[in-house]
Amino acid sequence: MRLSANTLAGLPHDVARPAYSREQGFGIVHFGIGAFHRAHQAWYTDHCLRKGERDWMISGVSLRSATVHDRLLPQDGLYTLIERSNANEKMEVIGAVGEVLVAGPDRQAIINRIAAPDCRIASFTVTEKGYCRAADGSLDFDNAARGFYPIVGEALAIRMKQGLPGITLLSCDNLSGNGKQLHRLTAEWLASGNSDLAQWFEDKCTAPETMVDRIVPATTGNDLARLAARLGMGDEGAVFTEPFSQWVVEDGFANGRPSWDHFGAQLVADVRPYETAKLRMLNGAHSLLAYCGLIAGHEFVHEAIADPRLNRLAKSLMAEAMATITPGPGQNLDRYSEELLHRFANSSLNHRLEQIAMDGSQKIPQRWLETLAERQDQGLASPSILTGIACWLRHIRGDAGKIDDPMADRLANAWAEHGKSGVFDRVFAAGGLISSPWTPNAESRATVIAALDKNQI
């Protein structure tokens, strides 16, 4: 037996489930319907629907793979969210996802959803590489043609022609200035084909900044088997996460929004302090633990943070980052640092370091290099981040196994052609492989190369 609308009544009594009618309007179209969205934005939206808000059902879009579609279609879009801590487990069924479409075969259906009067928000968790930025930060039109931009562009053109209101484009990815970047890149795409549409977009649509935070490890077969025994039925779409969740959103919506703030989201005038702390402290420490931890032979985050050497490095990296952050109202960075260490030690999550290590070339500019640039300008050393740089360079050489990165071939070639004495310059110097706010000075370069020479953390 499989979880579905027809089997909800058979769940154990302590598993919360949606009691609202799911036959209502699709107010949100979400690109990147992966585990993170289902554990985060869909969770907030589900709780709004449970309290009686209507017409905020989510139409999920998979851009590359039909996997989530195939898992959720037999389940009527329902799935279980399991919060895990070292103390206990809490389960609830999420009903906010009404359908999952796949960009290839369902392209026109996706366009129609966004163009429909019901749609008021198009949101995104497509990872950093999904925004198709060229090395200089502008739109890479060749890659963008295979992403979400053509679909969104066609839908917005229909809305303009029919005299419908604009919509909100809501990036929920770990990009510095994610709303501004999404707005700028979308405007570039639209302006290349239709100047009237580009102006309508500027006048009618918005792209607020956001910061999202919840650790969501990849679901394993063992996870699903244990859950099936607990529920008495299968659930191929289940997501496992931590109790902690944070969502900070700039309050600038074009055409309304659910009352996410009634369930813990923070609506603020300026997201930057929260975003900067998340990127440079949480994400920065995660990447450090991933690359250094894999080199040290660890598999999970909780194992890496339990390693005294890596624990000290993570604390030091967060201290380096804190010196570059001006806190927002009520934001306590020392307390945030302690919370992060506690969350990293959650052994019930089994958060794999290799999952965090993916796509490092797209992640480390905002996680590490912005901090390095600011500290270097202030005359401050950043030994912990530079240790992370050395471990990442070893990672892309293959010292800890397979590399999963869109620049994997070019990074491997940099090692093959330049060796450890030249790979640093090929990657990080002006005009190097990674577009970076940081221009390394001689001291930083020497520190990283010395770490590579020692071949140890």
Side-chain angles (χ1 to χ4, degrees):
M1 187 166 63
R2 188 91 167 261
L3 175 65
S4 70
N6 291 330
T7 61
L8 270 177
L11 288 170
H13 294 301
D14 61 340
V15 179
R17 65 208 75 183
Y20 54 84
S21 170
R22 300 173 71 231
E23 297 299 320
Q24 52 178 291
F26 286 92
I28 300 171
V29 175
H30 182 82
F31 289 84
I33 182 77
F36 181 81
H37 170 73
R38 303 204 307 277
H40 195 270
Q41 300 94 28
W43 177 88
Y44 285 92
T45 304
D46 177 79
H47 282 255
C48 292
L49 294 169
R50 292 182 192 215
K51 289 298 183 181
E53 296 189 47
R54 287 191 55 81
D55 298 325
W56 289 114
M57 290 294 290
I58 298 169
S59 174
V61 177
S62 285
L63 286 167
R64 298 280 181 260
S65 165
T67 300
V68 178
H69 169 275
D70 295 345
R71 288 174 177 170
L72 291 186
L73 181 64
Q75 301 183 183
D76 303 310
L78 298 169
Y79 60 92
T80 313
L81 184 145
I82 302 93
E83 293 182 2
R84 283 177 167 172
S85 69
N86 288 334
N88 54 36
E89 229 174 43
K90 175 186 172 184
M91 301 185 186
E92 58 185 313
V93 174
I94 305 298
V97 177
E99 65 182 7
V100 179
L101 305 174
V102 182
D106 299 323
R107 187 178 191 279
Q108 191 58 51
I110 301 164
I111 292 171
N112 293 343
R113 279 288 182 221
I114 302 172
D118 282 340
C119 180
R120 290 184 271 174
I121 296 171
S123 53
F124 304 84
T125 49
V126 294
T127 75
E128 292 89 342
K129 64 185 175 185
Y131 292 85
C132 306
R133 294 166 297 165
D136 64 357
S138 64
L139 186 65
D140 179 340
F141 279 87
D142 289 339
N143 282 329
R146 298 187 292 273
F148 61 80
Y149 295 99
I151 295 171
V152 171
E154 288 190 39
L156 294 181
I158 295 171
R159 296 187 74 93
M160 179 181 72
K161 184 176 180 181
Q162 294 182 348
L164 292 173
I167 62 172
T168 300
L169 304 187
L170 194 67
S171 170
C172 299
D173 282 297
N174 290 320
L175 290 176
S176 180
N178 56 10
K180 290 183 178 66
Q181 292 212 49
L182 176 58
H183 184 280
R184 174 179 56 79
L185 294 164
T186 303
E188 285 185 42
W189 176 265
L190 299 177
S192 70
N194 185 333
S195 58
D196 290 341
L197 179 58
Q199 188 59 54
W200 181 88
F201 172 71
E202 293 286 347
D203 294 340
K204 302 294 185 181
C205 298
T206 61
E209 306 279 298
T210 72
M211 185 279 275
V212 297
D213 187 2
R214 197 170 206 184
I215 295 172
V216 186
T219 301
T220 68
N222 286 338
D223 289 330
L224 295 181
R226 285 184 54 210
L227 179 64
R230 172 76 171 78
L231 297 180
M233 62 183 73
D235 177 1
E236 295 297 317
V239 290
F240 297 78
T241 187
E242 62 176 336
F244 180 92
S245 181
Q246 187 179 21
W247 194 6
V248 184
V249 190
E250 180 187 3
D251 198 359
F253 287 76
N255 191 19
R257 58 170 174 81
S259 297
W260 292 316
D261 49 318
H262 291 178
F263 303 96
Q266 299 166 257
L267 275 294
V268 301
D270 187 1
V271 172
R272 285 174 298 177
Y274 307 92
E275 172 197 77
T276 304
K278 161 73 183 321
L279 288 169
R280 299 185 185 181
M281 294 176 67
L282 187 154
N283 296 132
H286 253 170
S287 287
L288 179 83
L289 292 171
Y291 301 121
C292 297
L294 289 169
I295 293 292
H298 301 302
E299 183 178 4
F300 301 112
V301 172
H302 68 267
E303 294 174 343
I305 201 65
D307 182 325
R309 301 167 300 165
L310 302 187
N311 188 291
R312 287 192 296 272
L313 272 176
K315 288 178 179 176
S316 178
L317 178 141
M318 286 192 276
E320 290 170 7
M322 274 193 278
T324 70
I325 302 166
T326 301
Q331 189 180 19
N332 185 317
L333 297 180
D334 288 316
R335 184 169 65 238
Y336 185 54
S337 177
E338 292 300 318
E339 287 174 349
L340 292 178
L341 294 170
H342 177 73
R343 292 166 63 194
F344 294 164
N346 184 350
S347 60
S348 67
L349 283 179
N350 283 336
H351 195 185
R352 292 183 177 276
L353 298 173
E354 64 182 13
Q355 181 184 353
I356 301 167
M358 293 169 54
D359 302 336
S361 65
Q362 312 296 299
K363 294 174 178 177
I364 64 172
Q366 54 264 21
R367 297 186 178 196
W368 290 347
L369 305 188
E370 290 180 357
T371 303
L372 281 171
E374 290 192 30
R375 289 181 63 84
Q376 186 170 285
D377 287 346
Q378 297 169 24
L380 300 172
S382 306
S384 299
I385 300 178
L386 294 177
T387 298
I389 293 285
C391 285
W392 178 70
L393 288 172
R394 292 181 60 191
H395 175 78
I396 63 171
R397 184 172 63 183
D399 285 15
K402 184 181 176 182
I403 306 163
D404 190 341
D405 192 289
M407 293 180 66
D409 290 342
R410 280 179 285 175
L411 294 168
N413 289 339
W415 265 109
E417 293 172 10
H418 302 281
K420 64 185 174 185
S421 61
V423 69
F424 178 89
D425 297 327
R426 180 70 184 97
V427 175
F428 293 108
L433 291 174
I434 290 183
S435 177
S436 170
W438 175 55
T439 302
N441 59 20
E443 182 181 356
S444 296
R445 181 182 185 277
T447 298
V448 173
I449 292 174
L452 292 174
D453 284 337
K454 294 177 183 175
N455 228 27
Q456 62 186 24
I457 300 168

